[in-house]
Amino acid sequence: MSEVQKPVYGGQAVVEGVMFGGKHHTVTAVRRKDSTIVYYHLPRESKPVVNRLKKIPFLRGIVSLIQSSATGSKHLNFSTEQYEEEDGEKQAETKEETKDPSKLSLWLGVAVIGVLSFLFGKLLFTLIPVFLAKLTEPLFSGHTAQVLVESLFKLILLLVYIYVVSLTPLIKRVFQYHGAEHKVINCFESGKELTVANVQASSRLHYRCGSSFILFTVIVGMFVYLLVPIDPLWVRVVNRILLIPVVLGIAFEVLQLTNKVRDTPILRYLGYPGLWLQLLTTKAPTDDQVEVALASFKELLRMEKETEKGLESDVIV
């Protein structure tokens, strides 16, 4: 097994590629149309304020969400550019993060749009079930019944949406790369050699997946909504909107908890709902897709190892 023990690496599927993040770097490997693999990496910047916020329970989930969205948008932008380029149009070479202020502004704009898109989607998935549940009030009256019906509509809406988008060729390929990313992490954490065969034999489900986080927002929201009033309707709408950060923060802590107890008998089942959802959000990858995921992960391991050696050499004994 690699020298890196118990990694906290997270991954993300992008267009024809996979991004992995470590302690010091994030790396994306993308397969271009000419079958070559190119890389993009960003160093993780250490910001004291952000680091302090990420140590505060419930608040750290919101901070991590914003930070991952900002980083992910840069990698997604790179992967899309690489895949859309015609063969020979540009030199396929490793790109580093530029210090050009205009590009930094562009990336910041993309990050903001990504966060706003997520919040808008969350808003729709939060409010549509509210109005649907209200229509069933003659049949399911009462606070508890309405919250349960609302949560059921939210779950159905989520599952139907994921299933429908997964039928499109592009999203299906993204979900395949998502599966490849999970398989690589599971293979690495099991201590097996990182080969295509070993990775393909590993599970495509993982406790730290963002898909699990989405499902936990539905479950956590149900319990939180039981504690607040639902009448009149405008109060219900307002508290649902105001409670979005609260639900996200708690759901993040639940996700962290399920990952910590995944090897504990009985408690490991707490994470199963999230794993079940991953049956929809991940697909079995091809060997070519696994090769891209492996290339990204191995490049990350290499860079992390070099960084750690550099930090050790700076220590004065």
Side-chain angles (χ1 to χ4, degrees), residues 31-34 38 77-93 95:
R31 188 185 294 280
R32 287 167 51 87
K33 291 182 179 180
D34 61 2
V38 292
N77 182 56
F78 167 80
S79 64
T80 302
E81 287 179 352
Q82 291 300 312
Y83 183 63
E84 289 180 349
E85 289 175 6
E86 294 296 331
D87 296 342
E89 182 178 332
K90 291 185 180 181
Q91 180 69 26
E93 59 184 13
K95 293 188 176 181

Side-chain angles (χ1 to χ4, degrees), residues 119 122-131 133-134 142-151 154 217-218 220-248:
L119 293 177
K122 179 61 180 173
L123 195 63
L124 288 180
F125 277 91
T126 297
L127 296 185
I128 291 177
V130 168
F131 294 107
K134 188 66 176 179
H143 185 281
T144 301
Q146 274 293 289
V147 170
L148 292 176
V149 171
E150 177 186 334
S151 300
K154 186 180 297 184
T217 62
V218 176
V220 168
M222 179 181 69
F223 288 103
V224 171
Y225 299 154
L226 287 172
L227 305 177
V228 296
I230 62 172
D231 292 313
L233 181 60
W234 70 269
V235 170
R236 188 172 181 176
V237 171
V238 170
N239 66 40
R240 293 301 185 266
I241 295 175
L242 295 179
L243 287 171
I244 287 178
V246 176
V247 171
L248 292 177

Side-chain angles (χ1 to χ4, degrees), residues 198-236:
N198 286 341
V199 169
Q200 286 287 35
S202 301
S203 173
R204 74 176 199 264
L205 311 181
H206 198 282
Y207 276 82
R208 288 197 302 272
C209 180
S211 303
S212 298
F213 172 72
I214 295 174
L215 182 61
F216 286 142
T217 62
V218 176
I219 299 174
V220 168
M222 179 181 69
F223 288 103
V224 171
Y225 299 154
L226 287 172
L227 305 177
V228 296
I230 62 172
D231 292 313
L233 181 60
W234 70 269
V235 170
R236 188 172 181 176

Side-chain angles (χ1 to χ4, degrees), residues 111-300:
V112 171
I113 292 174
V115 173
L116 292 178
S117 297
F118 173 82
L119 293 177
F120 180 71
K122 179 61 180 173
L123 195 63
L124 288 180
F125 277 91
T126 297
L127 296 185
I128 291 177
V130 168
F131 294 107
L132 291 177
K134 188 66 176 179
L135 294 176
T136 69
E137 200 166 32
L139 294 175
F140 303 100
S141 59
H143 185 281
T144 301
Q146 274 293 289
V147 170
L148 292 176
V149 171
E150 177 186 334
S151 300
L152 179 60
F153 275 129
K154 186 180 297 184
L155 179 60
I156 293 175
L157 188 62
L158 174 64
L159 295 178
V160 170
Y161 173 77
I162 292 176
Y163 175 72
V164 171
V165 299
S166 70
L167 297 178
T168 64
L170 175 61
I171 300 302
K172 181 180 179 180
R173 287 190 65 81
V174 171
F175 284 179
Q176 285 179 303
Y177 276 108
H178 192 187
E181 169 248 314
H182 283 187
K183 282 175 172 285
V184 168
I185 294 179
N186 282 323
C187 181
F188 177 77
E189 293 183 338
S190 67
K192 297 178 181 177
E193 183 183 358
L194 291 175
T195 65
V196 172
N198 286 341
V199 169
Q200 286 287 35
S202 301
S203 173
R204 74 176 199 264
L205 311 181
H206 198 282
Y207 276 82
R208 288 197 302 272
C209 180
S211 303
S212 298
F213 172 72
I214 295 174
L215 182 61
F216 286 142
T217 62
V218 176
I219 299 174
V220 168
M222 179 181 69
F223 288 103
V224 171
Y225 299 154
L226 287 172
L227 305 177
V228 296
I230 62 172
D231 292 313
L233 181 60
W234 70 269
V235 170
R236 188 172 181 176
V237 171
V238 170
N239 66 40
R240 293 301 185 266
I241 295 175
L242 295 179
L243 287 171
I244 287 178
V246 176
V247 171
L248 292 177
I250 298 176
F252 181 83
E253 298 301 324
V254 173
L255 179 66
Q256 296 292 89
L257 174 64
T258 58
N259 182 57
K260 290 179 180 178
V261 301
R262 61 178 175 170
D263 295 322
T264 304
I266 300 180
L267 293 180
R268 65 181 303 174
Y269 296 109
L270 291 174
Y272 273 36
L275 296 180
W276 294 332
L277 182 61
Q278 291 174 42
L279 294 174
L280 286 178
T281 61
T282 64
K283 302 293 183 182
T286 63
D287 286 352
D288 286 347
Q289 291 168 330
V290 168
E291 287 176 0
V292 175
L294 276 173
S296 178
F297 192 68
K298 288 180 178 179
E299 178 67 9
L300 175 66

